[in-house]
């Protein structure tokens, strides 16, 4: 187990490093040098060259990457070309927004998805078909369209939730929750559908296992067969599905943050890409990767812990 | 930009589990052929095909029929709903929404196809390479795809857009590369199982090149999965592309895009909510269509039936049970009179088991008119080839027939109570406490997620109402009773940590935990090594002697019958063809099928009299739907005659209390004819043409 964890940690580190290199190369392929971007249109070529020289833009790529990596390890992701603020500080203030969004949406979709999937598998018949149809529809609906619909229903027609904006938890927990409600539900719709399908398929597979017949032959009550034994067996692929979902929702937050004007990482990616703000793009790609890889690692370890075969070895 | 970069799981087990937990399912991925039939059998998929075809046609021909140019602005009708001039309304600049939707369609569909081609192509090639090479190469490719799957794909795509700009075809192609990892994982398991097929080995021996093997033998088997994945990726590609356009990374400005149009609509959700309906609906319908096609093709054709039927299936079963309970009891002359009670005896009377049919009529019958008797403390063997209905008969005793199969007639009298008419709820009081089950594969009969100790103590507590400590003591003593020496140690293990023979002992202990009076053993030794088989049999024999319980032993092994059974019932094609005392049947079999089984059994022939060549039974057990009205064995019988085309009753065999279902039984016994190992002289054979056997029982009824 210790060996397994060490291996996975090394894998995770390698993943982050690969993405860092990738992001670095992509950023260098962006049109416009840092000088041109930060000074804006109309700046003289001399001024642009001076800025580029100061920022080390003309150094060999490998040297630049090492410099960046050196400061990144110390928590310094450079300075935004647009507003001159520290990228690390900016991202640190944005991370909680996206984290609450993605975590909220993952939890909500897991609860809804597992509920729907288990119900479909256990009840069968017409209810199973109805849930299957409903879930198929949810999978096909674009998240942003659903988001606009929710704004229309809950913010325009009835002002239950605020249409846009984010209230930090420290300011008011209640408003924080209210401001998160619509974006979280928007993101959770597709996620719940995905997990519902995964759950239904895994539950059905579990119920086809022969040990279920043994349990019935020893008079195990139906609820216990379903919710202790079958669900336990099905939990491995379900947790794997939730891990995949978190990756997707973390990315999906770009949409939700744009739609609901939330100052999160997604919004940062969107603006920094539009403005060619190289350090910001690179920083946000790396941070997003670190978060996703870390959460994945935890969920993977959880999966291994759930499986007696892997736990023992 | 939908919640996942991974394709939405298809609506069935095969693809889904493979996507999320490839390791567990890798080897058994069902190879399904690409089939138009499955596609056209699904109304959703047909509707999807029609919609996609219409959409493609409409968008390709758009310049010819569109009422407006995409940039035509009608300032008299800004933000209008549907009107005669603008069927789907207009946007904030008075542009016709219908025209813009169809003008944007070709580009959206085309670039999404690009993602499909790159993603599915790359994923398939990688999977075939990995499956062909195996070993290290597979390990490396799998590691790389694992890393790719754990990346925040959306964020990376945005960084790519930063570098290459909103060049949609390039962006969609790179998206394809990112998504190929997920496709690789789905296809790998199947490619590997195809690579391990015998015909692939044969091709390798013949010297076929790896490339030729991949293209000729592996690729065709992957076709269905590839098409399924392509359809699902197509849908995801469209959603992601629309999502990108929604956040402002769509095609350059004057060009319409679905995502961009929904973005525009979202700005007017306060004053013109209608605007988001047409574009959203078209996008959703297109995605829905692609998913429906993928799901229809991806549906596993023969999903195994669940061992715990769904609520809906249980309701169906309850109806069947009620019908049995209400049906008038029909007792044949060989049957014991209804209601005769003797403790610990089982009397099955005219039992029929059939597949549930969706309509009003009866489905295929699997077991017909089976009668058996088991007295207390005796062992009854149910013998026959695979598919003769012996397991179905055995499972019906516990009310544990698989989903979709139920008792259609007859009685199962246990201590005088008809179990065939007992509800599932009431059966719970019988299962484990009175009738217990041990099955063929002990490893699969135990729950892999729980320790032996938990499974055993939980069962003992439930069946005997004991406390925790007491149940643990009982578990230890049960394990010792079934011959496990280090019982305390075994209690702590998980099923995968013990051997098959050990697992079968645990399964027997589990079955004994409710002190049952009858044990149903479904081929309990088949999956075990020969030496372990003998141990398990002698354990069962000792248990019968010590506890006085009865056993119904399902087996195809006449050695097992000779070893342990007091009575034996030989089954063929859903019927009992001969029954009686074991000694009588093994010494002087009356039914040609029993004769044939004995002649074909190497162990039944003594070493000194071992024939040069073992007998065989030509042909196969007929499928239940092909059972003839007459003798069901006639088509394979060396002694068949014209009398065999009539239904054959079960008659006293003349040997003790035995019964036999053969019109020629007496004649055979008198003439002392044997089942011949050599080719049968034609003079002894009756021509049974298919035409004659066409008269099925259904027609007779």
């Amino acid at each position: 187990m210790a060996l397994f964890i060490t291996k996975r940690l090394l894998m995770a580190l390698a993943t982050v490093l690969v993405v860092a290199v990738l992001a670095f190369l992509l950023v260098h392929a962006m049109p416009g040098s840092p000088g041109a971007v930060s000074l804006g249109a109309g700046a003289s070529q001399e001024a642009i060259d001076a800025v580029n020289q100061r920022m080390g833009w003309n150094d060999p790529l490998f040297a630049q990457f090492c410099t960046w990596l050196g400061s990144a390890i110390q928590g310094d992701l450079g300075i935004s070309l647009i507003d001159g603020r520290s990228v690390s500080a900016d991202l640190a203030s944005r991370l909680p927004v996206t984290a609450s969004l993605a975590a909220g949406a993952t939890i909500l979709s897991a609860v809804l998805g597992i509920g729907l999937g288990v119900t479909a598998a256990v009840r069968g018949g017409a209810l199973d078909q109805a849930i299957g149809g409903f879930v198929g529809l949810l999978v096909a609906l674009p998240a942003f369209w659903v988001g606009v619909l929710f704004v229309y229903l809950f913010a325009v027609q009835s002002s239950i939730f605020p249409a846009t904006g984010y209230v930090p938890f420290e300011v008011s927990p209640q408003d924080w929750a209210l401001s998160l409600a619509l974006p979280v539900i928007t993101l959770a719709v597709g996620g719940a559908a995905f997990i519902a399908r995964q759950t239904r398929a895994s539950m059905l597979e579990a119920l086809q296992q022969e040990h279920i017949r043994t349990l019935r032959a020893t008079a195990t009550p139906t609820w216990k067969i379903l919710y202790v034994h079958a669900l336990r067996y099905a939990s491995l692929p379900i947790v794997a599905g939730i891990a995949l979902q978190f990756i997707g929702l973390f990315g999906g937050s770009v949409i939700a943050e744009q739609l609901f004007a939330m100052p999160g990482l997604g919004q940062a990616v969107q603006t920094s890409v539009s403005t060619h703000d190289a350090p910001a793009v690179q920083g946000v790609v790396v941070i997003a990767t670190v978060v996703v890889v870390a959460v994945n690692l935890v969920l993977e370890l959880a999966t291994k812990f759930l499986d007696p075969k892997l736990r023992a070895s | 930009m939908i919640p996942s970069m991974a394709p939405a799981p298809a609506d069935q087990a095969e693809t889904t589990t493979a996507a999320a937990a490839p390791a567990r399912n890798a080897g058994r991925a069902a190879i399904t052929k690409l089939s138009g039939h499955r596609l056209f059998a699904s109304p959703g998929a047909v509707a999807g095909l029609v919609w996609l075809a219409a959409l493609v046609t409409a968008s390709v021909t758009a310049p010819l029929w569109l009422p407006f140019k995409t940039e035509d602005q009608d300032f008299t009708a800004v933000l209008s709903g549907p009107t005669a001039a603008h069927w789907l309304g207009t946007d904030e600049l008075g542009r016709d929404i219908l025209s813009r939707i169809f003008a944007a369609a070709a580009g959206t569909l085309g670039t999404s196809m690009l993602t499909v081609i790159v993603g599915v192509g790359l994923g398939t090639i990688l999977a075939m390479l990995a499956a062909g090479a195996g070993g290290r190469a597979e390990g490396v490719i799998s590691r790389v795809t694992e890393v790719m799957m754990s990346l925040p794909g959306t964020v990376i795509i945005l960084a790519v857009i930063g570098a290459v700009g909103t060049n949609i075809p390039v962006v969609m192609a790179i998206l394809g590369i990112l998504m190929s990892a997920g496709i690789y994982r789905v296809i790998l398991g199947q490619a590997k199982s195809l690579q391990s097929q015998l015909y692939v080995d044969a091709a390798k021996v013949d010297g076929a090149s790896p490339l030729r093997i991949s293209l000729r033998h592996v690729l065709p088997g992957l076709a269905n999965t590839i098409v399924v994945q392509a359809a699902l990726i197509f849908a995801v590609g469209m959603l992601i592309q629309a999502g990108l356009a929604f956040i402002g990374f769509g095609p350059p400005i004057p060009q319409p895009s679905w995502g961009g149009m929904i973005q525009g609509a979202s700005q007017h959700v306060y004053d013109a909510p209608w605007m988001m309906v047409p574009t959203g609906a078209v996008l959703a319908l297109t995605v829905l269509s692609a998913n429906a096609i993928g799901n229809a093709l991806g549906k596993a054709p023969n999903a195994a039936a669940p061992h715990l039927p769904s609520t809906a299936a249980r309701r169906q079963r309850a109806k069947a049970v009620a019908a049995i309970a209400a049906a008038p009891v029909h007792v044949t002359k060989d049957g014991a009179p209804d209601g005769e009670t003797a403790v610990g005896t089982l009397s099955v009377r005219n039992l029929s088991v059939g597949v549930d049919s969706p309509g009003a009529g009866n489905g295929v019958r699997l077991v017909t008119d089976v009668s058996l008797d088991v007295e207390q403390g005796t062992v009854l063997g149910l013998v026959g080839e695979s598919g003769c209905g012996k397991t179905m008969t055995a499972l019906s005793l516990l009310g544990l027939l698989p989903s979709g199969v139920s008792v259609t007639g007859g009685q199962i009298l246990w201590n005088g109570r008809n179990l065939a008419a007992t509800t599932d709820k009431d059966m719970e009081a019988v299962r484990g406490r009175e009738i217990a089950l041990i099955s063929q594969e002990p490893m699969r009969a135990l729950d892999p997620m729980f320790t032996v100790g938990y499974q055993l103590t939980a069962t003992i507590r439930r069946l005997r109402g004991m406390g925790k400590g007491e149940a643990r003591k009982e578990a230890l003593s049960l394990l010792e009773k079934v011959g496990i020496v280090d019982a305390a140690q075994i209690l702590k293990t998980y099923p995968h940590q013990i051997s098959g023979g050990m697992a079968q002992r645990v399964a027997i202990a589990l079955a004994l935990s409710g002190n049952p009076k009858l044990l149903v053993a479904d081929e309990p030794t088949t999956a075990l090594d020969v030496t372990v088989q003998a141990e398990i049999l002698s354990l069962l024999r000792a248990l019968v002697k010590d506890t006085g319980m009865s056993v119904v032993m399902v087996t195809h092994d006449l050695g097992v019958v000779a070893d342990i059974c007091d009575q034996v019932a030989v089954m063929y094609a859903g019927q009992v063809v001969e029954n009686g005392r074991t000694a009588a049947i093994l010494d002087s079999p009356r039914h040609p099928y029993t004769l044939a089984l004995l002649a074909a059994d190497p162990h039944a022939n003594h070493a000194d009299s071992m024939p040069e060549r073992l007998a065989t039974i030509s042909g196969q057990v007929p499928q239940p739907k092909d059972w003839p009205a007459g003798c069901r064995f006639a088509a394979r019988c060396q002694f068949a005659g014209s009398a065999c085309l009539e239904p054959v009753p079960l008659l006293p065999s003349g040997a003790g209390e035995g019964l036999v279902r053969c019109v020629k039984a007496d004649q055979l016994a008198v003439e002392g004819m044997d089942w011949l190992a050599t080719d049968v002289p034609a003079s002894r054979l009756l021509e049974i043409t298919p035409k004659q056997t066409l008269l099925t029982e259904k027609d007779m009824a």
Side-chain angles (χ1 to χ4, degrees):
Chain A
M1 195 71 189
L3 180 74
F4 177 81
I5 295 176
T6 322
K7 264 171 125 177
R8 287 287 134 168
L9 271 175
L10 286 177
M11 268 281 277
L13 262 177
T15 307
V16 173
L17 202 65
V18 166
V19 171
V21 173
L22 194 74
F24 181 79
L25 292 176
L26 281 176
V27 156
H28 272 260
M30 277 191 185
S33 65
V37 171
S38 63
L39 295 177
S44 70
Q45 191 59 42
E46 291 78 44
I48 291 174
D49 287 343
V51 172
N52 284 345
Q53 188 63 35
R54 184 161 49 80
M55 297 184 72
W57 182 253
N58 302 323
D59 295 351
L61 279 183
F62 184 68
Q64 282 189 53
F65 181 72
C66 290
T67 317
W68 177 85
L69 191 64
S71 33
I73 288 170
Q74 294 163 33
D76 175 14
L77 292 171
I79 286 166
S80 162
L81 298 179
I82 304 300
D83 54 15
R85 287 172 52 197
S86 153
V87 172
S88 311
D90 183 42
L91 294 182
S93 74
R94 287 172 179 277
L95 189 59
V97 181
T98 306
S100 355
L101 245 179
T106 307
I107 293 167
L108 185 63
S109 42
V111 170
L112 288 178
I114 293 174
L116 280 174
V118 167
T119 309
V122 168
R123 299 292 296 275
L127 189 61
D128 181 23
Q129 292 191 340
I131 292 179
F134 178 62
V135 160
L137 186 68
L138 293 191
V139 166
L141 287 179
F144 48 90
W145 191 84
V146 173
V148 178
L149 183 73
F150 282 156
V151 169
Y152 177 71
L153 290 179
F154 297 114
V156 178
Q157 288 297 305
S158 55
S159 36
I160 305 171
F161 299 112
T164 55
Y166 174 76
V167 181
F169 184 77
E170 310 85 80
V171 176
S172 156
Q174 197 202 341
D175 289 348
W176 169 79
L178 280 178
S179 70
L180 274 177
L182 281 186
V184 163
I185 299 172
T186 300
L187 282 178
V189 166
F194 179 94
I195 293 174
R197 284 190 164 177
Q198 178 74 65
T199 304
R200 178 181 176 276
S202 308
M203 268 307 266
L204 286 181
E205 202 202 321
L207 288 172
Q208 287 163 12
Q209 301 303 309
E210 214 173 296
H211 66 258
I212 298 295
R213 195 170 71 194
T214 310
L215 289 164
R216 290 190 75 200
T218 52
T220 314
T222 302
W223 67 266
K224 201 175 172 190
I225 296 180
L226 290 173
Y227 302 110
V228 176
H229 293 274
L231 196 57
R232 178 73 179 71
Y233 187 89
S235 62
L236 298 167
I238 295 176
V239 172
I242 292 175
L244 270 181
Q245 212 42 49
F246 180 81
I247 302 177
L249 291 176
F250 204 80
S253 66
V254 180
I255 298 254
E257 287 171 20
Q258 158 96 357
L259 184 58
F260 295 98
M262 315 269 290
L265 289 182
Q267 200 189 48
V269 192
Q270 203 256 348
T271 27
S272 56
V273 166
S274 314
T275 56
H276 301 297
D277 188 349
V281 172
Q282 185 161 1
V284 78
V285 169
V286 170
I287 291 298
T289 308
V290 168
V291 171
V292 164
V293 165
V295 170
N296 239 356
L297 189 65
V298 170
L299 282 174
E300 192 181 4
L301 290 179
T303 324
K304 299 298 171 211
F305 186 73
L306 282 172
D307 189 345
K309 280 184 203 170
L310 294 162
R311 199 189 322 152
S313 60
Chain B
M1 307 281 190
I2 58 147
S4 181
M5 297 289 286
D11 201 5
Q12 40 70 45
E14 183 195 334
T15 318
T16 338
T17 341
R24 199 159 83 187
N25 252 9
R28 343 182 233 122
I31 309 295
T32 47
K33 283 236 161 64
L34 184 57
S35 125
H37 177 74
R38 266 210 302 284
L39 191 60
F40 293 110
S42 153
V46 172
L49 274 179
V50 170
W51 168 258
L52 283 181
L55 189 65
V56 169
T57 317
S59 63
V60 169
T61 58
L64 304 175
W65 62 271
L66 278 185
F68 297 89
K69 286 223 169 53
T70 54
E71 295 315 310
D72 281 353
Q73 299 182 3
D74 180 355
F75 289 112
T76 59
V78 172
L79 293 177
S80 105
T83 60
H86 303 281
W87 293 353
L88 295 180
T90 60
D91 66 5
E92 70 277 11
L93 296 175
R95 297 177 295 193
D96 184 54
I97 291 182
L98 177 74
S99 304
R100 285 173 68 78
I101 287 177
F102 282 99
T108 307
L109 299 179
T111 47
S112 300
M113 261 330 271
L114 203 59
T115 307
V116 172
I117 292 164
V118 173
V120 177
L122 188 62
T124 308
I125 291 169
L126 284 177
M128 292 207 306
L129 276 178
R136 281 193 80 84
E138 187 198 326
V140 170
I141 299 177
S142 292
R143 256 325 92 74
V144 170
T145 54
E146 255 170 60
V147 169
M148 278 167 74
M149 279 183 80
S150 67
L151 297 181
T154 316
V155 176
I156 289 177
I157 275 293
L158 286 172
V160 167
I161 290 177
V164 303
T166 52
N167 185 338
I168 300 299
V170 174
V171 172
M172 292 303 280
I174 292 174
L175 180 67
I177 296 177
L178 282 173
M179 303 213 331
S180 66
I183 298 158
Y184 163 82
R185 302 195 81 175
V186 174
I187 293 182
L188 178 67
Q190 225 173 58
K192 272 169 78 172
S193 102
L194 283 167
Q195 277 280 358
S196 66
Q197 298 288 317
L198 288 175
Y199 61 81
V200 173
D201 283 344
K204 278 180 196 155
V205 173
D206 279 351
S209 70
L211 181 70
R212 190 182 152 78
I213 287 174
S214 292
L215 294 181
R216 277 293 303 275
H217 300 294
V218 177
L219 193 57
L222 296 176
N224 190 59
T225 313
I226 290 175
V227 176
V228 170
Q229 289 301 311
L232 300 179
I233 295 293
F234 183 64
V236 176
M238 267 185 306
L239 285 174
I240 293 185
Q241 187 179 6
L244 287 174
F246 181 83
I247 57 170
F249 298 120
I253 264 313
Q255 233 176 302
S257 69
W258 291 351
M261 289 170 69
I262 295 175
Q263 205 279 328
S266 75
Q267 304 299 316
H268 293 277
V269 65
Y270 297 91
D271 49 351
W274 162 258
M275 226 170 111
M276 58 182 274
V277 175
T279 325
V282 168
L283 176 55
L285 269 177
T286 313
V287 171
L288 214 49
S289 300
N291 281 343
I293 292 168
N295 288 340
L297 284 173
K299 201 149 257 165
N302 290 318
H307 286 298
L308 177 60
S310 65
T311 313
R314 283 206 301 276
R315 216 175 290 135
Q316 202 68 36
R317 174 74 56 87
K319 270 190 209 147
V321 168
I324 292 282
V329 175
H330 153 83
V331 180
T332 53
K333 50 184 181 292
D334 55 287
D338 189 12
E340 184 194 332
T341 55
V343 175
T345 55
L346 173 77
S347 303
V348 176
R349 290 285 162 264
N350 313 104
L351 177 73
S352 294
V353 173
V355 176
D356 301 341
S357 68
N362 281 331
V364 175
R365 293 199 278 172
L366 303 174
V367 172
T368 55
D369 206 24
V370 163
S371 297
L372 305 163
D373 285 284
V374 186
E375 276 165 46
Q376 192 190 353
T378 65
V379 180
L380 169 77
L382 270 184
V383 202
E385 285 171 271
S386 321
C388 69
K390 52 191 194 305
T391 297
M392 288 300 159
T393 307
L395 290 177
S396 66
L397 302 180
L398 288 126
L400 288 180
L401 286 169
S403 203
V405 175
S406 36
V407 172
T408 52
Q411 292 178 298
I412 299 168
L413 296 168
W414 170 247
N415 295 339
R417 173 183 183 193
N418 186 6
L419 298 184
T422 305
T423 62
D424 197 55
K425 188 102 201 89
D426 293 341
M427 277 307 285
E428 270 186 21
V430 176
R431 288 184 204 131
R433 293 180 175 91
E434 294 183 43
I435 307 180
L437 174 75
I438 53 178
S439 51
Q440 187 169 356
E441 292 198 45
M443 287 302 207
R444 288 169 53 199
L446 300 174
D447 190 334
M449 296 293 170
F450 294 89
T451 60
V452 167
Y454 172 82
Q455 297 183 50
L456 209 45
T457 46
T459 309
I460 292 168
R461 291 179 67 181
R462 179 169 60 248
L463 295 179
R464 302 226 193 133
M466 286 180 173
K468 213 170 184 175
E470 214 182 338
R472 205 187 125 79
K473 260 190 229 131
E474 182 61 30
L476 282 171
S477 100
L478 268 178
L479 285 182
E480 276 156 18
K481 199 164 157 189
V482 297
I484 290 176
V485 185
D486 47 351
Q489 184 56 38
I490 293 294
L491 280 184
K492 286 184 216 150
T493 56
Y494 285 92
H496 72 271
Q497 294 167 317
I498 56 180
S499 70
M502 194 70 91
Q504 191 61 292
R505 286 176 195 273
V506 171
I508 293 173
L510 202 59
L512 293 179
S513 44
N515 283 330
K517 309 294 175 295
L518 173 69
L519 182 66
V520 176
D522 184 7
E523 308 227 13
T525 56
T526 306
L528 304 174
D529 291 341
V530 180
T531 47
V532 184
Q533 281 185 11
E535 287 172 27
I536 296 290
L537 281 180
S538 63
L539 168 65
L540 286 173
R541 204 183 303 115
L543 287 171
V544 170
K545 211 172 145 214
D546 295 349
T547 61
M549 68 176 179
S550 335
V551 178
V552 172
M553 170 80 76
V554 174
T555 183
H556 62 258
D557 187 343
L558 290 168
V560 171
V561 172
D563 204 349
I564 192 171
C565 298
D566 302 302
Q567 299 273 326
V568 60
V570 182
M571 287 189 71
Y572 185 80
Q575 283 177 323
V576 171
V577 292
E578 180 165 16
N579 68 17
R581 297 198 59 80
T582 306
I585 286 190
L586 292 184
D587 287 344
S588 53
R590 294 300 164 95
H591 196 279
Y593 181 60
T594 321
L595 275 174
L597 279 184
L598 283 166
D601 186 353
H603 304 294
N605 294 283
H606 294 292
D608 50 334
S609 64
M610 176 71 89
E612 222 168 87
R613 192 173 145 188
L614 274 178
T616 54
I617 310 175
S618 61
Q620 288 170 338
V621 183
Q623 292 291 310
K625 61 177 174 13
D626 302 329
W627 287 343
C631 173
R632 291 175 189 173
F633 187 58
R636 301 171 73 191
C637 183
Q638 293 182 352
F639 315 113
S642 55
C644 304
L645 296 174
E646 302 294 323
V648 188
L650 203 54
L651 296 171
S653 66
E657 302 141 15
L659 299 171
V660 65
R661 193 187 289 275
C662 177
V663 289
K664 294 192 149 190
D666 289 339
Q667 192 191 340
L668 292 176
V670 171
E671 292 176 16
M673 283 168 93
D674 277 332
W675 189 268
L676 291 183
T678 46
D679 291 331
V680 183
S683 60
R684 269 178 69 178
L685 270 182
L686 168 84
E687 279 288 305
I688 303 261
T689 58
K691 205 168 188 178
Q692 281 168 296
T693 57
L694 264 182
L695 194 67
T696 60
E697 284 197 14
K698 210 189 251 174
D699 301 323
M700 306 280 292

